[in-house]
Amino acid sequence: MKARLVSLDIPGLDLPLGGGLWTVPRIEGVPESTTILVRGAPGAGKTIFGSQLAGSVARALGGDVAYGCIELLPVEFQAQHAGLRREDVAEEVVVPPFKKGRPSKENGCRFFAGLLDLGAAGDEQSRLGPAVAALLHQVEQVGGRPRVLVIDSLSDGYNLGGSAPRPLADALCKLAAERGLVLLLLEEAADFRPSVWSFAVDIVLELKLSEEDPAAGMPVTLARWLTVIKNRFGPSDAGPHRFNITPNRGVYVIPRPAVYVASWAPAILWKGWTSPEPAAHGWAVGEQVTTPPWPSFRKCVTAVYGPYAHVVWRIANQLGRQLPGAKLEKSRLLMIDFGRQIQNQRESEYTLPVMKIAAGYPYLDGGGLVDMARRAIKDIRDSHVVVEKALIGDLRSIRSFRNPEEIRMAVALIVAMLREVRIPVVLFETATPRAGEAEPECVDFADVVVSISPPSHMPIDVTMTDTRTGLRHRWSEDL
């Protein structure tokens, strides 16, 4: 039996964890196991995060969840799960007395939520092991297939917090290995001091609810953060990474932008990706479509800049349009829109049907932008359409954002992602560099640069330059 990498269906979580959760065979003839600790202060989201993580693992392993309740009643867990459950998965929470039955769907799982009887105060540490064994027995008696065991939650109020004896922590981990279980422990931790549970388990995740500080005069908002403290059997990115909890969708993680350039990221992002072949097309120059020696537009990142936003937009929109007679039924334009002027463009002005990402919110963070692009690419893959190009701009608007450097880094990552799946990119920016000034930053990403000269006469001059070969072409445009 070999170690197994379990991919999680919680959006965004596989990336920080290096691809998912590793389960490891520890005892011959017993299914592989692992131990996970989720720590956080009250209100950080431990129960929802932990239960959705447990459900994801259980479905991947074809089993059920035994959910041991210490601080909350099983019916309270049932109500909380119902209020924030995911619509895309088949999960059912059952409470005592358990009855025989099967999940409503073949790929679903059940949560058997039972109260762990820890006896009187002072007996908790000695009673925890027998109480867990009793819960597992009850689940098996009614035909349950416990593959994941959750204990919610470990706290100092029950003498089970960070100061619990190490033999107790080791005993629970040993129980998981002997039964072939994925053990998920939820710990109440307000100050995140070292915990005995952290040393005993294989994976440690810390959840925090903290204040973001937008620009002066804006209201302070709360954000949820996930940090990967420990991942014993695989690579990981510590973060912190944002995560949200919403009805119907449940938990989804927004990884920080840096994780997208990790060595393991391409295998996760493009797993199962097949890029549809585009129709053959060249460069649109005015009313003419060029032919070689220009490189294939499909393999290029193009930067367009110059004065007059409407001229920059028009040229960026027309570049790389399809040759006359090409089929458009399954062709799309992916638009990442930073500026309001493009929001007012009529749909008829686009050369192709549009899939738009509205990115004009000045308090947008880089991780959120990359996450929106990642999900758009996934939607593209799932719908089997051909994206003829991605249009990104107006990059001038980024200057007024709360964190422009973070957004520029996010744009660079998105460009790299689009290159990976062979979607051509056109970046455009309204800018007029003066003599001796550097070109706009969009040029740094580009294979081909289209510059529009300041109009000293009409029509205006446009120059297209291949930065790799030095090939150059000039033409004129009317305002």
Side-chain angles (χ1 to χ4, degrees):
M1 190 179 296
K2 297 181 180 180
R4 176 179 177 180
L5 181 61
V6 179
S7 180
L8 305 169
D9 62 5
I10 295 176
L13 185 54
D14 274 356
L15 269 177
L17 290 175
L21 296 178
W22 282 101
T23 55
V24 179
R26 289 180 162 97
I27 299 176
E28 187 175 354
V30 177
E32 67 274 12
S33 65
T34 193
T35 52
I36 309 161
L37 175 66
V38 176
R39 311 181 72 206
K46 297 186 298 298
T47 295
I48 293 299
F49 188 97
S51 63
Q52 296 204 3
L53 176 58
S56 178
V57 175
R59 287 190 299 276
L61 299 179
D64 296 316
V65 179
Y67 203 97
C69 299
I70 295 178
E71 291 189 314
L72 77 169
L73 295 173
V75 291
E76 292 173 337
F77 170 70
Q78 186 180 49
Q80 187 176 26
H81 184 275
L84 290 169
R85 68 182 181 87
R86 292 169 53 178
E87 290 187 339
D88 60 331
V89 299
E91 293 180 348
E92 179 187 5
V93 178
V94 294
V95 298
F98 301 145
K99 297 179 180 180
K100 290 187 177 183
R102 287 292 180 188
S104 57
K105 294 185 179 180
E106 184 177 343
N107 64 341
C109 72
R110 289 172 294 175
F111 284 75
F112 292 87
L115 189 65
L116 298 180
D117 182 7
L118 301 183
D123 296 336
E124 298 93 346
Q125 294 177 5
S126 62
R127 294 289 298 269
L128 180 61
V132 167
L135 174 62
L136 293 172
H137 178 70
Q138 292 172 22
V139 173
E140 292 167 346
Q141 285 290 102
V142 295
R145 300 165 297 173
R147 197 65 174 87
V148 180
L149 169 63
V150 181
I151 298 179
D152 183 5
S153 63
L154 305 169
S155 67
D156 288 329
Y158 287 85
N159 297 314
L160 297 173
S163 59
R166 179 61 184 264
L168 175 62
D170 292 340
L172 276 179
C173 294
K174 183 179 178 181
L175 180 146
E178 291 173 343
R179 290 178 174 257
L181 298 172
V182 173
L183 175 63
L184 178 55
L185 305 172
L186 308 184
E187 181 191 0
E188 186 176 298
D191 54 10
F192 296 102
R193 288 179 297 178
S195 166
V196 65
W197 304 104
S198 301
F199 295 106
V201 301
D202 303 319
I203 300 168
V204 180
L205 307 176
E206 289 187 353
L207 309 183
K208 290 184 180 180
L209 183 65
S210 62
E211 294 180 349
E212 286 186 314
D213 185 18
M218 295 295 293
V220 172
T221 58
L222 292 176
R224 299 183 186 275
W225 300 95
L226 161 70
T227 305
V228 183
I229 301 298
K230 179 181 180 182
N231 192 22
R232 179 174 285 165
F233 301 118
S236 62
D237 184 280
H241 311 278
R242 272 187 34 222
F243 75 96
N244 290 333
I245 302 173
T246 60
N248 305 324
R249 189 180 177 187
V251 173
Y252 66 96
V253 178
I254 304 173
R256 68 178 185 136
V259 74
Y260 289 90
V261 297
S263 60
W264 61 84
I268 301 169
L269 292 171
W270 317 126
K271 182 179 180 181
W273 177 276
T274 55
S275 182
E277 286 299 322
H281 60 282
W283 294 89
V285 178
E287 296 302 320
Q288 303 296 320
V289 179
T290 68
T291 56
W294 287 103
S296 167
F297 178 74
R298 195 81 186 161
K299 300 178 181 178
C300 286
V301 174
T302 306
V304 181
Y305 73 91
Y308 299 113
H310 70 284
V311 177
V312 173
W313 154 250
R314 185 177 69 207
I315 293 175
N317 183 35
Q318 292 179 349
L319 280 174
R321 68 186 177 192
Q322 291 200 347
L323 291 170
K327 294 182 179 180
L328 296 174
E329 289 85 353
K330 288 191 175 182
S331 296
R332 297 291 185 271
L333 167 68
L334 175 62
M335 175 70 202
I336 301 180
D337 182 5
F338 285 108
R340 292 184 178 180
Q341 92 236 21
I342 306 303
Q343 295 173 5
N344 298 325
Q345 295 290 338
R346 294 187 303 272
E347 291 296 324
S348 61
E349 295 183 21
Y350 290 100
T351 56
L352 293 167
V354 182
M355 301 173 65
K356 184 181 289 188
I357 297 175
Y361 181 58
Y363 299 98
L364 180 68
D365 65 275
L369 176 59
V370 177
D371 180 67
M372 286 192 292
R374 178 183 63 83
R375 287 189 278 124
I377 293 174
K378 181 181 183 299
D379 291 342
I380 291 166
R381 179 186 66 185
D382 294 344
S383 57
H384 303 289
V385 299
V386 176
V387 177
E388 292 296 336
K389 68 179 176 183
L391 195 58
I392 304 177
D394 187 333
L395 299 183
R396 176 188 62 176
S397 301
I398 294 176
R399 302 173 190 173
S400 62
F401 279 40
R402 178 184 66 173
N403 194 338
E405 291 304 317
E406 181 181 285
I407 298 299
R408 291 189 184 98
M409 182 175 70
V411 170
L413 288 169
I414 293 170
V415 169
M417 291 164 63
L418 293 168
R419 276 188 187 272
E420 187 75 23
V421 294
R422 299 191 303 136
I423 295 176
V425 181
V426 178
L427 303 165
F428 64 95
E429 183 170 357
T430 305
T432 311
R434 299 177 181 177
E437 290 183 345
E439 292 180 299
E441 291 187 9
C442 63
V443 174
D444 296 339
F445 305 119
D447 305 306
V448 175
V449 177
V450 179
S451 59
I452 304 167
S453 300
S456 56
H457 61 278
M458 303 300 174
I460 58 177
D461 295 326
V462 182
T463 302
M464 177 187 292
T465 306
D466 184 342
T467 61
R468 300 161 298 180
T469 65
L471 288 173
R472 183 169 294 182
H473 182 80
R474 291 187 175 91
W475 74 94
S476 297
E477 287 273 345
D478 292 323
L479 282 175

